[in-house]
Amino acid sequence: MDAVLSADGRRITLSPTAALGCPMAEAVTHWIREDVAPTIAAMGKSLRGVETLDSFACRRRNGVKDAKISEDGLAKNALDVRAFKLTNGAAI
């Protein structure tokens, strides 16, 4: 996934791109479009992009050797967000 279209048709990029399953991609799209962008707009700012940290890491939960596989390890059910990038160049 490399971008989400905002409610007003603007392209909100995800960088780096995220490897997500279809249900998770749909959930992220709704979250950005219906929660994140409007919240930032309420602060008088505009969302330009989402800086992702990770969407796939084949690892055990919390780095514990015998723990279950992390949702990140399933390569479809998790997205780590580092920052929200604003059109004015700032980051939250």
Side-chain angles (χ1 to χ4, degrees):
M1 182 171 178
D2 66 352
V4 169
L5 289 180
S6 68
D8 63 1
R10 289 179 304 102
R11 185 176 165 86
I12 299 169
T13 60
L14 277 72
S15 179
T17 60
L20 302 172
C22 291
M24 182 63 178
E26 184 177 5
V28 169
T29 297
H30 288 292
W31 174 62
I32 292 172
R33 187 181 292 151
E34 298 170 12
D35 293 323
V36 177
T39 299
I40 290 172
M43 299 183 321
K45 310 290 182 194
S46 183
L47 181 64
R48 174 177 52 91
V50 177
E51 184 178 339
T52 63
L53 183 61
D54 208 352
S55 63
F56 174 74
C58 191
R59 62 176 168 80
R60 303 282 177 177
R61 289 183 185 168
N62 301 319
V64 176
K65 180 181 172 185
D66 296 324
K68 292 180 181 180
I69 294 288
S70 164
E71 289 294 314
D72 292 301
L74 299 176
K76 62 180 180 175
N77 296 330
L79 177 67
D80 294 336
V81 173
R82 179 179 299 212
F84 298 111
K85 299 292 191 164
L86 307 181
T87 55
N88 68 2
I92 298 174

